Amino acid sequence: MTAAATAHTPVSERIYLALRQKIMRCEIVPGTTLDAASIASHYQVSKTPVRDAMQKLAADGLVMILPRSGYLVAPITFQAVHDILDMRAAIGPHAARQAARYATPAEIALLRQIVREYDAPLDIGAMQQVARRFHIAIARCSRNKRVVALSESLFDELERLLRFAIDFTVKTGEHSDEHTALVDAIEAGDGERAAAIEAAHIKHSREFLIERLMTLGYLSESEIRLGGAARSAGE
């Protein structure tokens, strides 16, 4: 956002964007209690724009409104993890299948260019941005604007999970092979193969994320069993 744009942005929106970024980057960790008066003092504003910002964060599912002007940064729960990953499992393979139908040579070249970025050592922030650009680029190849919008929203929410679940240093080229295979399938126009590769990638990522969140203590095995039983009962 430019200085000119910032000057014309409502105070509540600036507070919302600043807090949202901190929450998404886990600079404010899940389960943290936020106080409207303290936030207002920090930004040197009244409580009104803070409350407006918090209402928007609540609508995003990032904070919970507590009595007496208190707010709680949304914890990482099994249901939240399941909802996000379930949507990825539904949308990702469909986007890959459609990309195999519609991707142009220029779009294929862009995908290969992004994949090459995995060859360098990446910390979690850099890796997340590369992954986001890669999968959003595939979504754009689907020629479905709603798929693109949903993919962007899901990767925003995934950022918090990834910052908790994955070590800050990853191996060079760790993700290159599977992404290269996916681009190969898209270029060949093989939608079913592209969808299968993406589905397998999401499945492995899901298992890894849940295992890591359990190891770090953000999810319990009993919570996952209870959540799984509740889903089965509703099916």
Side-chain angles (χ1 to χ4, degrees):
M1 187 177 290
T2 65
T6 301
H8 292 89
T9 303
V11 174
S12 62
E13 183 70 9
R14 294 204 298 271
I15 295 172
Y16 161 75
L17 292 172
L19 291 175
R20 190 178 194 281
Q21 183 178 68
K22 289 180 179 180
I23 291 171
M24 299 304 291
R25 292 180 175 178
C26 293
E27 293 169 16
I28 304 176
V29 301
T32 299
T33 300
L34 302 175
D35 176 67
S38 298
I39 296 170
S41 175
H42 176 77
Y43 288 100
Q44 298 183 324
V45 297
S46 70
K47 289 184 182 179
T48 300
V50 174
R51 291 193 186 105
D52 291 343
M54 288 300 180
Q55 290 288 345
K56 290 192 67 175
L57 289 169
D60 290 345
L62 294 176
V63 302
M64 301 164 62
I65 300 175
L66 303 174
R68 300 180 183 178
S69 299
Y71 304 91
L72 181 74
V73 176
I76 293 176
T77 64
F78 169 76
Q79 188 61 51
V81 172
H82 166 72
D83 289 350
I84 294 167
L85 299 179
D86 203 38
M87 286 297 292
R88 273 286 293 136
I91 292 172
H94 173 74
R97 184 182 292 108
Q98 294 300 98
R101 293 182 62 186
Y102 299 117
T104 65
E107 288 170 325
I108 296 295
L110 174 61
L111 290 173
R112 294 200 184 280
Q113 178 183 327
I114 296 172
V115 169
R116 284 195 293 273
E117 295 181 36
Y118 280 107
D119 290 335
L122 301 171
D123 66 25
I124 184 61
M127 187 191 73
Q128 167 63 7
Q129 291 308 308
V130 174
R132 179 192 175 92
R133 286 192 291 111
F134 179 74
H135 291 287
I136 297 299
I138 289 176
R140 290 199 177 102
C141 292
S142 76
R143 303 296 185 265
N144 187 320
K145 291 181 180 180
R146 292 182 184 274
V147 167
V148 175
L150 282 169
S151 297
E152 289 176 335
S153 175
L154 287 170
F155 271 94
D156 280 346
E157 296 183 78
L158 274 170
E159 183 168 356
R160 274 210 316 162
L161 300 183
L162 289 170
R163 284 179 181 270
F164 270 108
I166 302 177
D167 294 334
F168 271 70
T169 301
V170 296
K171 296 177 182 178
T172 303
E174 185 175 346
H175 300 273
S176 295
D177 291 346
E178 60 187 17
H179 286 107
T180 296
L182 177 54
V183 178
D184 288 345
I186 291 172
E187 184 174 32
D190 191 339
E192 293 310 310
R193 180 164 167 259
I197 292 171
E198 181 70 337
H201 170 67
I202 293 169
K203 180 177 181 292
H204 295 150
S205 297
R206 181 191 198 114
E207 292 169 351
F208 175 70
L209 275 170
I210 289 175
E211 181 182 351
R212 284 291 297 163
L213 290 168
M214 285 178 63
T215 300
L216 294 168
Y218 291 102
L219 292 177
S220 68
E221 196 167 337
S222 60
E223 183 182 21
I224 290 173
R225 284 200 301 268
L226 285 171
R231 290 205 321 277
S232 297
E235 290 175 353

